[in-house]
Amino acid sequence: MDYLCFGEILFDILSGQRKLGGAPLNVAAHLAKLGFKGSMVSSVGDDDLGNEAITSIKKIGIDSSLISISSKETGRADITLKDGDADYIFNDDSAWDNIPKPKNLPKHVGVIYFGTLAQRSALSRKTLEEILSSTEAEEVFFDVNLRKQYYSREIIVEGLRKATILKMNEEEVPIIEDILGIKERDIDKASEEISRQYSIPTVIVTLGKNGAQIFRDGSWCKREAEAKRVVDTVGAGDSLSAGIIGSLLKGLGIKKALEIGSHIAAYVVSEEGAIPEYDEELRKYLFEEGFLA
């Protein structure tokens, strides 16, 4: 198995329309589109949205056998956009707040991906801890992905201790600096200090319209955002993550990983929703780079 993504499955509700999402699922979906095999560990409700989610997840090509069916409602996020950026309101005590440890977890995967949001409940957080202790992974990808008040110092620190790859956006860096007591207010230097303190080999920082950068092996690789028409930014960072994860799983260097991830993200922001169908141009590019099933 190439990947195991843990966390929320929910529907993004925007302008009266719903689209399947949740950062871990977005990452899993783009990895599946890139030709990788893996599973989601999550929970959906025994309701119409839950049935729709499972059907869509199978159609995308993600293994759904580790997704439980809950008596709680399937997750949803009501989204408003301001200058193209998304703000979220989540339903409380949803199915993904109640993720049990699944049976038949794989013993080894290429990468385990997780964030902070699904850890807002004790049960789901305990399940993540059990996964991280029982499944070996070549890489452990911690996407900070702060949402509202749904994080704590303990959750951040434990995530950093487990991570081999850390991803933050430029707005999250100063929050983490405050949590960790880092006085340095330079994104690069602060990221390097976090990498050093927690022995995290790879740190990714997204910079919105200014692109993204990766710190690895003591140096930075930076890339400006590609000039594309922006429809919405929902899921852009998740597609970047998937492109980078996929590239690293293939043994590509960070320069190529950042290029591929950035190219996918540029396409995603030019389309509606977090998991748009890839057009022929993007598919041709990815095929030439050695991706796609």
Side-chain angles (χ1 to χ4, degrees), residues 16-270:
Q17 296 183 333
R18 67 174 182 262
K19 291 186 180 292
L20 186 61
L25 178 58
N26 294 340
V27 171
H30 285 286
L31 284 170
K33 286 177 177 292
L34 290 172
F36 295 98
K37 303 298 183 183
S39 298
M40 272 292 303
V41 179
S42 188
S43 183
V44 297
D46 186 13
D47 51 28
D48 290 343
L49 287 180
N51 292 334
E52 183 179 335
I54 294 297
T55 298
S56 297
I57 286 166
K58 290 179 178 178
K59 184 177 180 180
I60 291 169
I62 303 167
D63 172 50
S64 64
S65 64
L66 304 183
I67 300 173
S68 71
I69 306 300
S70 172
S71 60
K72 305 293 184 179
E73 291 184 346
T74 298
R76 56 178 287 160
D78 292 291
I79 300 176
T80 56
L81 294 177
K82 183 177 181 181
D83 299 326
D85 293 322
D87 185 45
Y88 304 77
I89 298 177
F90 303 97
N91 57 335
D92 290 326
D93 197 25
S94 61
W96 56 263
D97 288 309
N98 298 271
I99 305 172
K101 181 182 178 181
K103 298 178 182 178
N104 302 319
L105 279 170
K107 294 182 178 180
H108 183 271
V109 297
V111 63
I112 295 174
Y113 170 99
F114 69 95
T116 57
L117 181 56
Q119 296 186 68
R120 71 178 185 175
S121 74
L123 174 58
S124 293
R125 186 179 178 194
K126 183 174 185 294
T127 296
L128 173 61
E129 291 171 353
E130 292 175 337
I131 291 169
L132 291 171
S133 64
S134 62
T135 299
E136 294 183 357
E138 296 169 26
E139 300 280 7
V140 177
F141 192 112
F142 177 32
D143 188 347
V144 173
N145 204 24
L146 301 181
R147 292 288 183 262
K148 304 291 186 180
Q149 74 277 18
Y150 301 124
Y151 63 92
S152 66
R153 184 182 190 279
E154 183 180 6
I155 288 172
I156 296 294
V157 169
E158 283 303 308
L160 295 174
R161 287 173 176 164
K162 297 290 187 180
T164 63
I165 303 174
L166 169 66
K167 176 174 165 281
M168 308 175 283
N169 66 37
E170 59 185 334
E171 295 175 348
E172 291 165 341
V173 174
I175 296 173
I176 296 175
E177 288 173 346
D178 290 340
I179 288 172
L180 300 180
I182 295 175
K183 299 185 184 301
E184 183 59 66
R185 289 293 146 172
D186 176 85
I187 286 179
D188 290 13
K189 292 180 180 178
S191 300
E192 292 169 21
E193 179 62 17
I194 294 168
S195 172
R196 186 192 65 78
Q197 281 191 23
Y198 291 90
S199 300
I200 303 173
T202 305
V203 179
I204 304 164
V205 182
T206 60
L207 305 169
K209 63 182 181 181
N210 294 317
Q213 57 189 43
I214 302 179
F215 179 74
R216 188 176 173 116
D217 297 328
S219 63
W220 285 97
C221 176
K222 304 186 180 186
R223 186 175 179 87
E224 294 184 0
E226 296 182 23
K228 288 271 190 176
R229 176 178 64 101
V230 176
V231 173
D232 72 57
T233 60
V234 177
D238 304 327
S239 63
L240 174 81
S241 296
I244 292 173
I245 289 170
S247 299
L248 295 179
L249 286 175
K250 282 186 171 292
L252 303 178
I254 60 170
K255 182 177 180 181
K256 178 57 73 173
L258 186 55
E259 174 195 315
I260 291 169
S262 298
H263 195 72
I264 298 170
Y267 175 78
V268 169
V269 301
S270 72

